Amino acid sequence: MRTEIDRRAMISLSAGHLAVDFASGSVPALIPFVTDRFHLGYALAALLLLSATASSSFVQPLFGMWSDRRGALWLIPGGVLLAAVGIGGAAVSPVYPLVLVLVVAGGLGVAAFHPEGAKFAAYASGRKRASGMSYFNIGGNTGYALGAFVTGQLVVWLGLSGGLLAMAPVALAAFALARILPRFSELTPQPAELVSGDGEDRLGAMALLGTVIALRSVAWFTLLAFVPLWVVSQGHSRADGTRLLFLMLLAGALGTLLLGSVADRIGLRRTLLVTQALVAPLVLAFVYVGGPLGVVALMLVGVCVVGTFGVTMVLSQLYLPRHIGTASGLSIGLAMGIGGVAAVVLGAVADAVDLKTALTISALAPALGVVFCTRLPAPEGRATIAAVLEHAEGA
Protein backbone atom coordinates (compact mmCIF):
# COMPACT_ATOMS: atom_id res chain seq x y z
CA MET A 1 0.00 0.00 0.00
CA ARG A 2 1.03 3.67 -0.31
CA THR A 3 3.48 4.52 2.47
CA GLU A 4 3.71 8.28 2.01
CA ILE A 5 0.98 10.90 1.94
CA ASP A 6 -0.08 11.91 -1.58
CA ARG A 7 0.54 15.59 -0.97
CA ARG A 8 -0.94 16.97 -4.19
CA ALA A 9 -4.21 15.16 -3.66
CA MET A 10 -4.23 16.02 0.04
CA ILE A 11 -3.69 19.73 -0.65
CA SER A 12 -6.64 19.74 -3.05
CA LEU A 13 -8.89 17.84 -0.65
CA SER A 14 -7.85 20.06 2.25
CA ALA A 15 -8.55 23.16 0.16
CA GLY A 16 -12.03 21.84 -0.59
CA HIS A 17 -12.50 21.18 3.10
CA LEU A 18 -11.43 24.75 3.82
CA ALA A 19 -13.99 26.12 1.37
CA VAL A 20 -16.98 24.10 2.58
CA ASP A 21 -16.23 24.74 6.25
CA PHE A 22 -15.69 28.44 5.53
CA ALA A 23 -19.38 28.47 4.63
CA SER A 24 -20.26 26.42 7.70
CA GLY A 25 -18.20 28.66 10.00
CA SER A 26 -20.01 31.74 8.73
CA VAL A 27 -23.21 30.69 10.50
CA PRO A 28 -22.04 31.40 14.09
CA ALA A 29 -20.73 34.78 12.91
CA LEU A 30 -24.13 35.63 11.42
CA ILE A 31 -26.08 34.69 14.57
CA PRO A 32 -25.69 37.95 16.56
CA PHE A 33 -26.59 40.05 13.50
CA VAL A 34 -29.58 37.94 12.52
CA THR A 35 -30.62 37.96 16.18
CA ASP A 36 -30.72 41.75 16.14
CA ARG A 37 -32.45 41.95 12.78
CA PHE A 38 -35.32 39.65 13.72
CA HIS A 39 -35.33 40.37 17.50
CA LEU A 40 -34.67 36.75 18.51
CA GLY A 41 -34.25 35.24 21.97
CA TYR A 42 -31.41 32.86 22.89
CA ALA A 43 -33.40 29.75 21.92
CA LEU A 44 -34.31 31.03 18.44
CA ALA A 45 -30.75 32.24 17.95
CA ALA A 46 -29.47 28.75 18.79
CA LEU A 47 -32.05 27.33 16.37
CA LEU A 48 -30.04 28.91 13.56
CA LEU A 49 -27.00 26.89 14.60
CA LEU A 50 -29.14 23.78 15.04
CA SER A 51 -30.53 24.17 11.51
CA ALA A 52 -27.02 24.29 10.12
CA THR A 53 -25.75 21.52 12.37
CA ALA A 54 -28.68 19.15 11.94
CA SER A 55 -28.68 19.38 8.15
CA SER A 56 -24.90 19.10 7.92
CA SER A 57 -24.60 16.39 10.57
CA PHE A 58 -27.57 14.05 10.89
CA VAL A 59 -27.67 13.21 7.19
CA GLN A 60 -23.92 12.70 6.84
CA PRO A 61 -24.15 8.95 7.54
CA LEU A 62 -26.60 8.67 4.62
CA PHE A 63 -24.13 10.36 2.29
CA GLY A 64 -21.46 8.10 3.81
CA MET A 65 -23.45 4.96 2.95
CA TRP A 66 -23.94 6.31 -0.56
CA SER A 67 -20.20 6.90 -0.80
CA ASP A 68 -19.39 3.36 0.41
CA ARG A 69 -21.85 1.64 -1.92
CA ARG A 70 -21.55 3.65 -5.12
CA GLY A 71 -18.94 6.37 -4.77
CA ALA A 72 -19.88 9.87 -5.83
CA LEU A 73 -16.90 12.13 -6.47
CA TRP A 74 -19.20 14.85 -7.76
CA LEU A 75 -20.40 15.34 -4.17
CA ILE A 76 -17.07 17.04 -3.41
CA PRO A 77 -17.54 20.11 -5.67
CA GLY A 78 -21.34 19.87 -5.54
CA GLY A 79 -21.41 20.02 -1.77
CA VAL A 80 -19.16 23.08 -1.71
CA LEU A 81 -21.36 24.90 -4.23
CA LEU A 82 -24.60 24.13 -2.38
CA ALA A 83 -23.05 25.33 0.89
CA ALA A 84 -22.11 28.64 -0.73
CA VAL A 85 -25.55 29.19 -2.23
CA GLY A 86 -27.42 28.26 0.95
CA ILE A 87 -25.41 30.30 3.46
CA GLY A 88 -25.04 33.28 1.13
CA GLY A 89 -28.77 33.34 0.50
CA ALA A 90 -29.53 33.01 4.22
CA ALA A 91 -27.49 36.11 4.99
CA VAL A 92 -29.69 38.33 2.83
CA SER A 93 -33.05 36.61 3.36
CA PRO A 94 -35.81 39.10 4.30
CA VAL A 95 -37.70 36.74 6.65
CA TYR A 96 -36.53 34.45 9.45
CA PRO A 97 -38.25 31.23 8.22
CA LEU A 98 -36.49 31.56 4.87
CA VAL A 99 -33.19 32.06 6.70
CA LEU A 100 -33.72 28.68 8.36
CA VAL A 101 -34.59 26.97 5.05
CA LEU A 102 -31.49 28.33 3.31
CA VAL A 103 -29.25 27.48 6.26
CA VAL A 104 -30.57 23.91 6.04
CA ALA A 105 -29.75 23.85 2.32
CA GLY A 106 -26.24 25.06 3.01
CA GLY A 107 -25.87 22.42 5.71
CA LEU A 108 -26.84 19.71 3.24
CA GLY A 109 -23.98 20.86 1.03
CA VAL A 110 -21.60 20.52 3.96
CA ALA A 111 -22.99 17.04 4.66
CA ALA A 112 -22.54 15.97 1.04
CA PHE A 113 -18.88 16.95 0.95
CA HIS A 114 -17.52 15.41 4.13
CA PRO A 115 -17.89 11.62 3.83
CA GLU A 116 -16.60 11.47 0.25
CA GLY A 117 -13.83 13.96 0.97
CA ALA A 118 -12.78 12.17 4.16
CA LYS A 119 -12.78 8.79 2.43
CA PHE A 120 -10.40 9.94 -0.29
CA ALA A 121 -8.28 11.76 2.27
CA ALA A 122 -7.88 8.42 4.05
CA TYR A 123 -6.78 6.80 0.80
CA ALA A 124 -4.27 9.62 0.23
CA SER A 125 -2.85 9.36 3.77
CA GLY A 126 -0.79 6.21 3.32
CA ARG A 127 0.40 4.72 6.57
CA LYS A 128 0.46 8.01 8.50
CA ARG A 129 -3.26 7.96 9.09
CA ALA A 130 -3.51 10.40 12.00
CA SER A 131 -1.12 12.88 10.40
CA GLY A 132 -2.79 12.54 7.01
CA MET A 133 -6.27 13.12 8.35
CA SER A 134 -4.89 16.06 10.32
CA TYR A 135 -3.76 17.63 7.05
CA PHE A 136 -7.25 17.12 5.67
CA ASN A 137 -8.82 18.57 8.81
CA ILE A 138 -6.50 21.56 9.02
CA GLY A 139 -8.22 22.81 5.89
CA GLY A 140 -11.67 22.42 7.38
CA ASN A 141 -10.74 23.83 10.77
CA THR A 142 -8.94 26.80 9.21
CA GLY A 143 -11.89 27.38 6.92
CA TYR A 144 -14.32 27.33 9.81
CA ALA A 145 -12.20 29.85 11.71
CA LEU A 146 -11.80 32.10 8.69
CA GLY A 147 -15.50 31.85 7.91
CA ALA A 148 -16.39 33.05 11.38
CA PHE A 149 -13.90 35.91 11.23
CA VAL A 150 -14.10 37.10 7.63
CA THR A 151 -17.88 36.88 7.42
CA GLY A 152 -18.23 38.63 10.76
CA GLN A 153 -15.99 41.48 9.64
CA LEU A 154 -17.75 41.84 6.29
CA VAL A 155 -21.13 41.97 7.99
CA VAL A 156 -19.88 44.63 10.42
CA TRP A 157 -18.67 46.62 7.42
CA LEU A 158 -21.42 46.02 4.84
CA GLY A 159 -24.37 44.70 6.81
CA LEU A 160 -25.80 41.24 6.20
CA SER A 161 -25.12 41.55 2.47
CA GLY A 162 -21.49 41.03 3.47
CA GLY A 163 -22.44 37.42 4.20
CA LEU A 164 -23.41 36.95 0.56
CA LEU A 165 -20.13 38.48 -0.61
CA ALA A 166 -18.20 36.13 1.68
CA MET A 167 -19.59 33.10 -0.18
CA ALA A 168 -18.22 34.20 -3.58
CA PRO A 169 -14.78 32.55 -3.11
CA VAL A 170 -16.48 29.39 -1.83
CA ALA A 171 -18.45 29.13 -5.07
CA LEU A 172 -15.27 29.67 -7.08
CA ALA A 173 -13.57 26.89 -5.12
CA ALA A 174 -16.39 24.53 -6.10
CA PHE A 175 -15.73 25.10 -9.79
CA ALA A 176 -11.99 24.63 -9.26
CA LEU A 177 -12.62 21.30 -7.52
CA ALA A 178 -14.81 20.14 -10.38
CA ARG A 179 -11.88 20.60 -12.76
CA ILE A 180 -9.52 18.40 -10.74
CA LEU A 181 -11.83 15.47 -9.98
CA PRO A 182 -9.77 13.15 -12.25
CA ARG A 183 -6.87 13.61 -9.83
CA PHE A 184 -8.97 12.23 -7.00
CA SER A 185 -10.14 9.27 -9.07
CA GLU A 186 -6.52 8.16 -9.39
CA LEU A 187 -6.49 7.40 -5.66
CA THR A 188 -7.49 3.77 -6.09
CA PRO A 189 -9.62 2.85 -3.07
CA GLN A 190 -8.26 -0.20 -1.27
CA PRO A 191 -10.13 -0.29 2.06
CA ALA A 192 -8.75 -3.71 2.97
CA GLU A 193 -5.27 -2.20 3.18
CA LEU A 194 -6.24 0.47 5.69
CA VAL A 195 -6.30 -1.94 8.63
CA SER A 196 -4.85 -5.36 9.19
CA GLY A 197 -6.55 -8.39 10.66
CA ASP A 198 -10.01 -9.54 9.64
CA GLY A 199 -11.24 -5.99 9.13
CA GLU A 200 -14.57 -6.57 10.86
CA ASP A 201 -16.75 -3.63 11.80
CA ARG A 202 -17.06 -3.08 15.56
CA LEU A 203 -20.38 -1.37 16.13
CA GLY A 204 -20.11 -1.35 19.93
CA ALA A 205 -16.78 0.47 19.81
CA MET A 206 -18.18 2.95 17.30
CA ALA A 207 -21.18 3.59 19.59
CA LEU A 208 -18.83 4.37 22.50
CA LEU A 209 -16.78 6.72 20.34
CA GLY A 210 -19.93 8.42 19.08
CA THR A 211 -21.04 8.97 22.68
CA VAL A 212 -17.69 10.59 23.53
CA ILE A 213 -17.91 12.90 20.51
CA ALA A 214 -21.55 13.77 21.21
CA LEU A 215 -20.92 14.71 24.84
CA ARG A 216 -17.94 16.82 23.90
CA SER A 217 -19.90 18.56 21.16
CA VAL A 218 -22.51 19.73 23.69
CA ALA A 219 -19.97 22.16 25.13
CA TRP A 220 -18.48 22.94 21.74
CA PHE A 221 -21.69 23.93 19.98
CA THR A 222 -22.90 25.86 23.01
CA LEU A 223 -19.71 27.91 22.78
CA LEU A 224 -20.11 28.36 19.03
CA ALA A 225 -23.64 29.65 19.49
CA PHE A 226 -23.08 31.85 22.53
CA VAL A 227 -19.48 33.06 22.76
CA PRO A 228 -20.26 36.25 20.79
CA LEU A 229 -23.45 36.82 22.77
CA TRP A 230 -21.62 36.16 26.07
CA VAL A 231 -19.00 38.73 25.14
CA VAL A 232 -21.73 41.27 24.33
CA SER A 233 -23.42 40.52 27.68
CA GLN A 234 -20.13 41.40 29.40
CA GLY A 235 -20.23 44.90 27.91
CA HIS A 236 -18.12 44.39 24.80
CA SER A 237 -19.04 44.84 21.14
CA ARG A 238 -20.31 42.25 18.67
CA ALA A 239 -17.05 42.68 16.75
CA ASP A 240 -15.16 41.74 19.93
CA GLY A 241 -17.31 38.62 20.19
CA THR A 242 -16.58 37.66 16.60
CA ARG A 243 -12.85 38.12 17.13
CA LEU A 244 -12.88 35.93 20.24
CA LEU A 245 -14.79 33.23 18.35
CA PHE A 246 -12.13 33.43 15.63
CA LEU A 247 -9.32 33.01 18.18
CA MET A 248 -10.99 29.87 19.56
CA LEU A 249 -11.37 28.39 16.09
CA LEU A 250 -7.90 29.43 14.94
CA ALA A 251 -6.32 27.79 17.98
CA GLY A 252 -8.23 24.63 17.12
CA ALA A 253 -6.96 24.72 13.55
CA LEU A 254 -3.35 25.01 14.73
CA GLY A 255 -3.98 22.27 17.27
CA THR A 256 -5.02 19.93 14.48
CA LEU A 257 -1.48 19.65 13.16
CA LEU A 258 0.02 19.35 16.63
CA LEU A 259 -2.30 16.66 17.94
CA GLY A 260 -2.24 14.63 14.73
CA SER A 261 1.51 14.19 15.11
CA VAL A 262 1.13 13.52 18.85
CA ALA A 263 -1.49 10.82 18.18
CA ASP A 264 0.79 9.10 15.66
CA ARG A 265 3.41 8.83 18.38
CA ILE A 266 1.60 8.21 21.69
CA GLY A 267 -1.62 6.67 20.43
CA LEU A 268 -5.08 7.76 19.33
CA ARG A 269 -6.98 6.81 22.50
CA ARG A 270 -4.47 8.35 24.89
CA THR A 271 -4.52 11.63 22.98
CA LEU A 272 -8.32 11.68 22.96
CA LEU A 273 -8.58 10.87 26.69
CA VAL A 274 -6.23 13.65 27.81
CA THR A 275 -7.86 16.31 25.66
CA GLN A 276 -11.37 15.18 26.65
CA ALA A 277 -10.50 15.52 30.34
CA LEU A 278 -9.33 19.11 29.85
CA VAL A 279 -12.44 20.48 28.12
CA ALA A 280 -14.72 20.93 31.16
CA PRO A 281 -12.26 22.83 33.40
CA LEU A 282 -11.23 25.03 30.49
CA VAL A 283 -14.85 25.97 29.71
CA LEU A 284 -15.42 26.83 33.37
CA ALA A 285 -12.24 28.92 33.43
CA PHE A 286 -13.49 30.90 30.44
CA VAL A 287 -16.84 31.59 32.11
CA TYR A 288 -15.77 32.22 35.71
CA VAL A 289 -12.21 33.55 35.44
CA GLY A 290 -12.56 35.62 32.28
CA GLY A 291 -10.04 38.23 31.26
CA PRO A 292 -6.82 37.20 29.48
CA LEU A 293 -6.77 33.83 31.29
CA GLY A 294 -10.31 33.18 30.12
CA VAL A 295 -9.30 33.92 26.54
CA VAL A 296 -6.39 31.48 26.80
CA ALA A 297 -8.72 28.85 28.29
CA LEU A 298 -11.15 29.31 25.40
CA MET A 299 -8.36 28.93 22.86
CA LEU A 300 -7.24 25.72 24.58
CA VAL A 301 -10.80 24.41 24.33
CA GLY A 302 -10.41 24.88 20.59
CA VAL A 303 -7.16 22.93 20.62
CA CYS A 304 -8.67 20.07 22.63
CA VAL A 305 -11.87 19.77 20.58
CA VAL A 306 -11.02 20.85 17.04
CA GLY A 307 -7.48 19.54 17.29
CA THR A 308 -8.73 15.98 17.80
CA PHE A 309 -11.23 15.89 14.91
CA GLY A 310 -8.65 13.94 12.91
CA VAL A 311 -8.05 11.57 15.83
CA THR A 312 -11.74 10.70 16.18
CA MET A 313 -12.08 10.34 12.42
CA VAL A 314 -9.22 7.83 12.23
CA LEU A 315 -10.60 5.89 15.20
CA SER A 316 -14.03 5.72 13.57
CA GLN A 317 -12.49 4.41 10.34
CA LEU A 318 -10.54 1.78 12.28
CA TYR A 319 -13.68 0.71 14.15
CA LEU A 320 -15.65 0.49 10.86
CA PRO A 321 -12.98 -0.52 8.32
CA ARG A 322 -15.52 -1.88 5.83
CA HIS A 323 -17.56 1.31 5.75
CA ILE A 324 -15.08 4.18 5.78
CA GLY A 325 -17.49 6.74 4.34
CA THR A 326 -20.17 5.82 6.85
CA ALA A 327 -17.62 5.98 9.68
CA SER A 328 -16.65 9.50 8.65
CA GLY A 329 -20.30 10.52 8.46
CA LEU A 330 -20.93 9.19 11.95
CA SER A 331 -17.90 10.77 13.59
CA ILE A 332 -18.07 14.23 12.00
CA GLY A 333 -21.79 14.17 11.35
CA LEU A 334 -24.32 12.40 13.52
CA ALA A 335 -22.40 12.52 16.81
CA MET A 336 -21.51 16.19 16.38
CA GLY A 337 -25.11 17.03 15.46
CA ILE A 338 -26.30 16.07 18.90
CA GLY A 339 -24.35 19.04 20.20
CA GLY A 340 -26.41 21.34 18.02
CA VAL A 341 -29.61 20.01 19.57
CA ALA A 342 -28.16 20.53 23.04
CA ALA A 343 -27.27 24.12 22.16
CA VAL A 344 -30.94 24.88 21.51
CA VAL A 345 -31.95 23.27 24.81
CA LEU A 346 -29.31 25.30 26.63
CA GLY A 347 -30.50 28.38 24.76
CA ALA A 348 -33.88 27.82 26.40
CA VAL A 349 -32.07 27.54 29.75
CA ALA A 350 -30.35 30.84 29.04
CA ASP A 351 -33.72 32.46 28.29
CA ALA A 352 -35.28 31.05 31.46
CA VAL A 353 -32.33 31.57 33.83
CA ASP A 354 -29.25 33.22 32.33
CA LEU A 355 -26.48 32.55 29.84
CA LYS A 356 -23.87 31.90 32.53
CA THR A 357 -25.90 28.97 33.85
CA ALA A 358 -26.30 27.52 30.36
CA LEU A 359 -22.56 27.70 29.70
CA THR A 360 -21.84 26.07 33.07
CA ILE A 361 -24.20 23.18 32.35
CA SER A 362 -22.56 22.67 28.95
CA ALA A 363 -19.25 21.94 30.67
CA LEU A 364 -20.70 18.91 32.48
CA ALA A 365 -21.25 16.88 29.30
CA PRO A 366 -17.58 16.47 28.24
CA ALA A 367 -16.72 15.63 31.85
CA LEU A 368 -19.13 12.69 31.61
CA GLY A 369 -17.58 11.81 28.28
CA VAL A 370 -14.27 11.07 30.00
CA VAL A 371 -15.87 7.95 31.55
CA PHE A 372 -16.85 6.60 28.14
CA CYS A 373 -13.46 7.55 26.73
CA THR A 374 -11.69 5.27 29.20
CA ARG A 375 -13.77 2.35 27.88
CA LEU A 376 -12.78 2.74 24.23
CA PRO A 377 -11.22 -0.52 23.00
CA ALA A 378 -7.99 -0.72 21.07
CA PRO A 379 -8.67 -0.69 17.30
CA GLU A 380 -8.15 -3.92 15.42
CA GLY A 381 -5.24 -3.92 13.05
CA ARG A 382 -2.63 -3.31 15.72
CA ALA A 383 0.08 -4.35 13.27
CA THR A 384 -0.90 -1.44 11.07
CA ILE A 385 -0.83 0.98 14.00
CA ALA A 386 2.62 -0.28 14.97
CA ALA A 387 3.77 0.22 11.40
CA VAL A 388 2.42 3.76 11.46
CA LEU A 389 4.35 4.54 14.63
CA GLU A 390 7.52 2.95 13.30
CA HIS A 391 7.21 4.96 10.08
CA ALA A 392 6.56 8.18 12.00
CA GLU A 393 9.62 7.64 14.18
CA GLY A 394 11.82 6.96 11.19
CA ALA A 395 10.55 9.92 9.17
Side-chain angles (χ1 to χ4, degrees), residues 155-174:
V155 173
V156 169
W157 179 36
L158 300 172
L160 282 166
S161 60
L164 179 61
L165 178 62
M167 293 303 105
V170 179
L172 291 175

Side-chain angles (χ1 to χ4, degrees), residues 191-192 195-202 318-323 380-381:
V195 293
S196 61
D198 57 13
E200 292 296 329
D201 288 341
R202 303 173 70 186
L318 291 172
Y319 288 149
L320 298 180
R322 296 191 176 188
H323 298 87
E380 291 183 358

Side-chain angles (χ1 to χ4, degrees), residues 285-286 289-298:
F286 166 67
V289 177
L293 288 178
V295 172
V296 172
L298 187 66

Side-chain angles (χ1 to χ4, degrees), residues 12 48 64 71 82 96 110-111 116 120 148 159 162 176 231 251 284 315 326 334 367-368:
S12 299
L48 279 171
L82 181 57
Y96 180 68
V110 175
E116 191 77 2
F120 277 88
V231 171
L284 294 176
L315 272 174
T326 302
L334 181 60
L368 178 60

Side-chain angles (χ1 to χ4, degrees), residues 118-144:
K119 183 174 73 173
F120 277 88
Y123 297 150
S125 294
R127 299 175 74 179
K128 286 191 174 182
R129 293 289 300 283
S131 294
M133 295 309 293
S134 291
Y135 294 142
F136 175 68
N137 279 297
I138 189 69
N141 297 336
T142 302
Y144 202 101

Side-chain angles (χ1 to χ4, degrees), residues 309-365:
F309 281 178
V311 172
T312 55
M313 191 181 297
V314 173
L315 272 174
S316 70
Q317 292 171 350
L318 291 172
Y319 288 149
L320 298 180
R322 296 191 176 188
H323 298 87
I324 293 177
T326 302
S328 302
L330 289 171
S331 64
I332 58 179
L334 181 60
M336 291 289 286
I338 294 173
V341 176
V344 174
V345 174
L346 290 173
V349 171
D351 283 332
V353 186
D354 56 44
L355 187 53
K356 188 174 188 177
T357 300
L359 290 169
T360 302
I361 293 172
S362 76
L364 301 179

Side-chain angles (χ1 to χ4, degrees), residues 183-221:
R183 173 66 182 171
F184 300 150
S185 64
E186 294 173 3
L187 299 172
T188 305
Q190 296 179 349
E193 291 184 353
L194 294 177
V195 293
S196 61
D198 57 13
E200 292 296 329
D201 288 341
R202 303 173 70 186
L203 299 180
M206 186 64 224
L208 274 175
L209 178 61
T211 301
V212 171
I213 298 170
L215 289 169
R216 184 180 66 182
S217 71
V218 170
W220 180 245
F221 278 97

